[in-house]
Every structure is written in structure tokens, then in C-alpha cells.
Amino acid sequence: KQGFQLEIPSRAASNQIYVPELDRIVLGEKRGTRSFLNVKESRKAAITTRVLQLLHAVLLKRIHITKRDLFYTDVKLFVDQSESDGVLDDVATMIGCTRSNLHVVASDKGLVVGRISFFEDGDFIDCTKMGVGGKAIPPYIDKIENIQSDAEFILLVEKEAAYMRMAEDRFYNRYPCIVITAKGQPDVATRMFLSRITSELQIPVLALVDSDPYGLKILSVYMSGSKNMSYDSASLTTPNIKWLGLRPSDLNK
């Protein structure tokens, strides 16, 4: 007897495929099961059902929580946050939605300043009037509505120091643009925000990153996604970003 079991798409590296036509990493067709009658899988199955129960309660209350909040809800069962984080991604792939659809968000990290305005949960936000540092990109992108902009392009900046220089100089007034940074390695909220505004505004994205492996990795995550979040690459990727700056090949000219 198999008993009650869950069927979950595999997030293993062998099931992550790069699709050239889409220019992003997606999940393949491989699936696995999680059975309550299998001793080796019973604990993971229990954690999965507990996470489902907690997410159901959050959605009924129409509130948002962080991954850390989810872990602290049942520390005795989860033991380590990596357990609840991994199962959370499994649940998202199983249901076929994003983590933000489940109302689980990451902490604020990214910043935006410049010629863009929108309503955030009913409050009007004008990113030209948010002080020198700009506006923190909210983790709940689903609460952003009515995005308006007269910018001619989006400038994606790797370094927070470069971003602050442009923000303080009001670079966006001289060159109508939106300046965004994730302060290094991009977080989910910044990637989703960039994808959303690029899709709605239909303006080009220019990236200012270092000409080294780390900078190119950051650029590739924005453009093609990451393996960890390959199941949600459709809402996290922004193709056709133009790379600004000096390249190694320029030194030979």
C-alpha cells in the first residue's frame, strides 16, 4: 500500500533546464513523491503538510509573513530554517505559483529612485520625493498598482555606493530615468519589481555592473534567473538588459 503521498516537481539541478528561446532557466518534467508510510520520507511529509497548514492560515487572514516568521511558527518541528525554506519552495512548485502568491516575502533590500510613481496598498508613492536614499522596494509586489513614469530608461546599478551617488546628484532629473539597486546579489523582490515595471512601462533596461565574474553573475541572474528560483523564473527575469561599462575586450582596442 502506498498510502497518502504528495507529488512534487523536482527542483534538483538535473531537472533545471536553460531554454534559449526564453533566455531563462526553467524546471523540467521530473516529479517525485513524498509518502507518509515511508520512514525515510515521513518527516519531510509532516513538514510539508505543516507548511501547507500555516500558509492556508496566512492566506485566510490576508496578511504577509517572512520566511523567518514561518520558521519561528514551529521551531520544534522545523529545527533549522533551511528545512522550512526548502519545503516552502516545494509547496510553491507543487501548487504552481510564486512565493509571493503564498504571501511569504523576503526582507527589504533593494532601492529605487527616480521618475516613477505608483500606489502601494492604497498609498501614493512618488520616487522623486522619497529623500536622498530613495524608496525601499517592497517585498509584496502584488500590492503595487497604477505604475506611472515618464522615464526613458531604467538604470540597474550593482553597487549601492554608485546608486547613492546618482540619487544624491538627482541624476534622474538630468536624464529622465529610474535608478534601481539590490546592493549586490539581487533579491527576489528587486528582481520581481524590475520585471514588473519593465513589462508595464516597455522601456529599455541598462545595467551598470563590474566587469568581473561576480558582476556578470549578477547580470545573468537578472536576465536568465537562478537555479534556486527556476520554478518562478517567468516573473523574476528581465531579458534584453543592456550591459554598460568597460569590458575586458575594450582594453585591446
Side-chain angles (χ1 to χ4, degrees), residues 2-7 33-36 41:
Q2 288 186 333
F4 179 69
Q5 62 181 17
L6 301 167
E7 188 177 84
T33 58
R34 202 162 286 174
S35 173
F36 280 84
E41 299 175 0

Side-chain angles (χ1 to χ4, degrees), residues 182-197:
K183 305 176 187 176
Q185 188 66 29
D187 59 304
V188 170
T190 303
R191 290 161 60 191
M192 193 173 291
F193 181 75
L194 177 65
S195 178
R196 169 99 180 265
I197 65 172

Side-chain angles (χ1 to χ4, degrees), residues 52-222:
L52 284 166
Q53 180 188 31
L54 294 171
L55 292 175
H56 181 251
V58 167
L59 291 169
L60 285 179
K61 294 177 183 177
R62 297 185 178 183
I63 59 175
H64 290 75
I65 62 172
T66 65
K67 293 191 294 182
R68 194 68 175 167
D69 292 331
L70 183 69
F71 166 67
Y72 277 123
T73 307
D74 200 335
V75 177
K76 187 176 290 186
L77 174 63
F78 299 142
V79 180
D80 188 89
Q81 187 177 338
S82 61
E83 293 267 17
S84 56
D85 286 356
V87 169
L88 174 62
D89 289 337
D90 288 339
V91 169
T93 58
M94 181 173 64
I95 297 174
C97 66
T98 66
R99 275 199 323 228
S100 59
N101 290 147
L102 298 173
H103 285 200
V104 180
V105 297
S107 301
D108 293 347
K109 183 187 176 189
L111 297 169
V112 57
V113 71
R115 311 282 275 268
I116 184 171
S117 63
F118 50 83
F119 283 88
E120 182 186 338
D121 198 22
D123 296 327
F124 180 70
I125 304 295
D126 183 347
C127 291
T128 62
K129 301 176 181 178
M130 298 301 295
V132 176
K135 168 79 170 70
I137 294 174
Y140 27 82
I141 306 300
D142 55 314
K143 290 192 175 184
I144 293 178
E145 299 176 333
N146 194 24
I147 298 173
Q148 302 290 329
S149 175
D150 63 350
E152 296 178 1
F153 60 93
I154 299 168
L155 184 59
L156 185 61
V157 183
E158 174 190 350
K159 304 289 188 182
E160 183 182 10
Y163 167 89
M164 292 303 296
R165 177 79 275 127
M166 293 180 178
E168 189 174 5
D169 290 345
R170 312 284 181 178
F171 177 82
Y172 49 85
N173 285 335
R174 184 174 182 182
Y175 302 98
C177 67
I178 303 164
V179 187
I180 293 176
T181 185
K183 305 176 187 176
Q185 188 66 29
D187 59 304
V188 170
T190 303
R191 290 161 60 191
M192 193 173 291
F193 181 75
L194 177 65
S195 178
R196 169 99 180 265
I197 65 172
T198 303
S199 174
E200 293 195 18
L201 299 178
Q202 293 294 306
I203 55 178
V205 182
L206 310 178
L208 188 60
V209 299
D210 288 345
S211 182
D212 59 21
Y214 187 76
L216 295 180
K217 178 188 176 184
I218 288 174
L219 183 57
S220 71
V221 169
Y222 278 115

Side-chain angles (χ1 to χ4, degrees), residues 18-26 223-224 233-234 237-240:
Y18 173 72
V19 181
E21 294 81 7
L22 300 175
D23 190 25
R24 62 174 180 249
I25 302 170
V26 301
M223 294 180 66
S224 304
S233 59
T237 54
T238 305
N240 302 320

